[in-house]
Amino acid sequence: MTTTPWTPAAAAALADALDHAVLDRGVPGGVLVLGTAGSTEAAGRTVAARGTVAPECGPAGPDDRTRYDLASLTKITATWALTGRALAAGLLDLDEPLRARFPRLPSPGGWLTVRQLLAHSAGLQPETRLDRYLHLDRPLAELLCAEQLVATPGAEHRYINRGYVLLGLLLADAHGTPLDALGDHYWHGLGMRDTEFGPVRRSPAVAPTEQRLRGAPRTWGIPHDPNAALLNGIAGHAGLFSTAADLAVFAEHLLTADDPWLAASLRPQIAVEAGRSRGLGWLVTDTGAAYHHGYTGTSLYLCPALGRYAVLLTNAVYHGFSGSRLTPLRDRILAAVTTP
C-alpha cells in the first residue's frame, strides 16, 4: 500500500478548524487524530485536542483517551466489522434472504438480505421507534421484520437505524453470544481497551452529551440515542463509547490488514447524491474517501489509496443538536483526507 503522510500545513489547518468550532460554541471541545497507516505512532499520527470535555468535568481539556458516545459510528465500529467476520465464518450470507438462516423471521422483512441492510436500501420503516414494541410478547427481530416496507428493497437509499438494529440482533443470534461480548472480543483483540457498549461510569474522562429537559441531569455515560437506551445500551445502530486513540487503532487495522471485507464494502452499492454513494455501511465518494458520521458529533474517515485516516470525536449535542454546527469542519476533513 502506498502511503502519503499528512503535511504539517494540512494538520495545522484542520486543528485550527476544530479550534474555531469550539470558539464558535459549536462544541465544548473535541479531539482530532490524523494518521497514516503503517507508520510508527510518533511518525504517523497527529493529535489535536481543543476546548474542554464539558463544564461539569472541570477545566481540563480532552485528549485521545477521553471517551465519547460514538452514536452511529457504532454501525461501523461494531456492526459492520462483526458482520464481516460472521460472513467470513459462514454464519451469515450477504445475498440470501434472512429467513434462509433465521426461518422464524416473518415477511416481508424475512426476505431482505444482509447487503440491503448494510447499504440502507432495504426499504424498512424510516422511524426507529422501538418504544412501539414495549411489552409485546414477540422477539424484536420478528417485530421489525413483520412491519410493512416503504420502498422496494434495493431500489433506493434511505438512511435508517432499523436495519442495523436488526443486524445487531441477528449477529447475536447467529453466534449464540450477546452483541456486547462479540464486540469486546473483537476490540480487545485489536488492542482497543477503551471501547465498549454503554452505560459507562461517569467521570471527567467521559464526555456528557445532551440535557433533554431543563433542570434535569445531563445525559452522561448512557447512550444519547433513546432507542439504544431501550436495548440497555447494546444495539447495532448506536450505544458504543470509545476514544480517539482506539478509533485510530481501528482505522490503522482496516488500512493495513489487507481485508477483502473492507475492499468489498467500499464498492458503491447505491447512489446517495452526486459524487457520493453508499457502500456496505460506509459512505464512499468519487474522490476515494470512505467515511461515516455519528449524531453526537463523531466522524471516521479513510482514504485507502493514500493510506490515510482521520478521527473526529466531539460532543456537539451538548448545546442541543444542530446538523450544520459541524458541517464546515467535517467537510474540510473529508476534502483533506484525499488531498495529496
Side-chain angles (χ1 to χ4, degrees), residues 219-291:
T219 302
W220 189 2
I222 60 175
H224 177 270
D225 183 276
N227 293 289
L230 283 174
L231 292 171
N232 201 31
I234 303 166
H237 72 295
L240 201 61
F241 286 76
S242 189
T243 66
D246 270 13
L247 288 187
V249 169
F250 178 66
E252 288 171 2
H253 167 74
L254 295 181
L255 291 174
T256 59
D258 194 25
D259 187 347
W261 176 233
L262 178 65
S265 297
L266 301 191
R267 297 187 190 111
Q269 301 292 314
I270 192 163
V272 175
E273 61 185 23
R276 284 178 173 84
S277 300
R278 179 70 64 178
L280 299 176
W282 300 83
L283 277 167
V284 293
T285 71
D286 291 352
T287 59
Y291 69 100

Side-chain angles (χ1 to χ4, degrees), residues 41-340:
E41 183 171 331
R45 189 184 299 178
T46 301
V47 179
R50 298 290 188 270
T52 62
V53 178
E56 51 266 74
C57 294
D63 59 28
D64 63 351
R65 290 294 178 186
T66 303
R67 284 191 180 188
Y68 285 86
D69 181 341
L70 296 189
S72 280
L73 278 191
T74 302
K75 293 182 174 73
I76 291 295
T77 314
T79 307
W80 168 82
L82 294 174
T83 298
R85 290 167 70 90
L87 291 167
L91 296 174
L92 296 176
D93 184 273
L94 197 57
D95 291 307
E96 70 181 10
L98 297 175
R99 61 185 303 168
R101 301 291 176 106
F102 307 98
R104 293 185 59 185
L105 295 181
S107 298
W111 295 103
L112 299 173
T113 67
V114 171
R115 184 187 299 275
Q116 291 162 350
L117 297 178
L118 287 171
H120 296 279
S121 65
L124 291 165
Q125 298 279 335
E127 292 186 347
T128 313
R129 289 296 307 275
L130 300 186
D131 59 303
R132 294 190 298 189
Y133 309 122
L134 290 172
H135 312 301
L136 295 182
D137 189 21
R138 192 177 184 184
L140 179 58
E142 295 180 23
L143 291 166
L144 292 172
C145 286
E147 294 277 4
Q148 291 301 307
L149 303 179
V150 298
T152 301
E156 59 185 80
H157 177 268
R158 290 173 181 260
Y159 182 80
I160 60 172
N161 289 323
R162 280 173 168 246
Y164 281 75
V165 174
L166 181 56
L167 275 173
L169 297 170
L170 298 183
L171 282 166
D173 191 353
H175 286 87
T177 303
L179 185 64
D180 57 333
L182 292 173
D184 287 345
H185 179 76
Y186 173 70
W187 301 313
H188 289 178
L190 297 183
M192 298 167 63
R193 298 290 177 178
D194 294 321
T195 301
E196 63 180 321
F197 282 103
V200 299
R201 188 173 183 177
R202 291 185 180 189
S203 81
V206 175
T209 54
E210 193 171 0
Q211 184 183 45
R212 299 187 185 278
L213 297 173
R214 187 176 296 276
R218 187 172 291 277
T219 302
W220 189 2
I222 60 175
H224 177 270
D225 183 276
N227 293 289
L230 283 174
L231 292 171
N232 201 31
I234 303 166
H237 72 295
L240 201 61
F241 286 76
S242 189
T243 66
D246 270 13
L247 288 187
V249 169
F250 178 66
E252 288 171 2
H253 167 74
L254 295 181
L255 291 174
T256 59
D258 194 25
D259 187 347
W261 176 233
L262 178 65
S265 297
L266 301 191
R267 297 187 190 111
Q269 301 292 314
I270 192 163
V272 175
E273 61 185 23
R276 284 178 173 84
S277 300
R278 179 70 64 178
L280 299 176
W282 300 83
L283 277 167
V284 293
T285 71
D286 291 352
T287 59
Y291 69 100
H292 206 290
H293 298 319
Y295 186 91
T296 48
T298 60
S299 299
L300 175 63
Y301 307 81
L302 302 178
C303 179
L306 299 181
R308 280 186 188 162
Y309 65 86
V311 176
L312 174 67
L313 297 187
T314 78
N315 50 341
V317 292
Y318 186 91
H319 297 306
F321 181 76
S322 169
S324 62
R325 187 171 287 140
L326 279 181
T327 298
L329 174 58
R330 282 171 160 169
D331 286 349
R332 289 191 67 172
I333 299 171
L334 180 61
V337 77
T338 60
T339 301

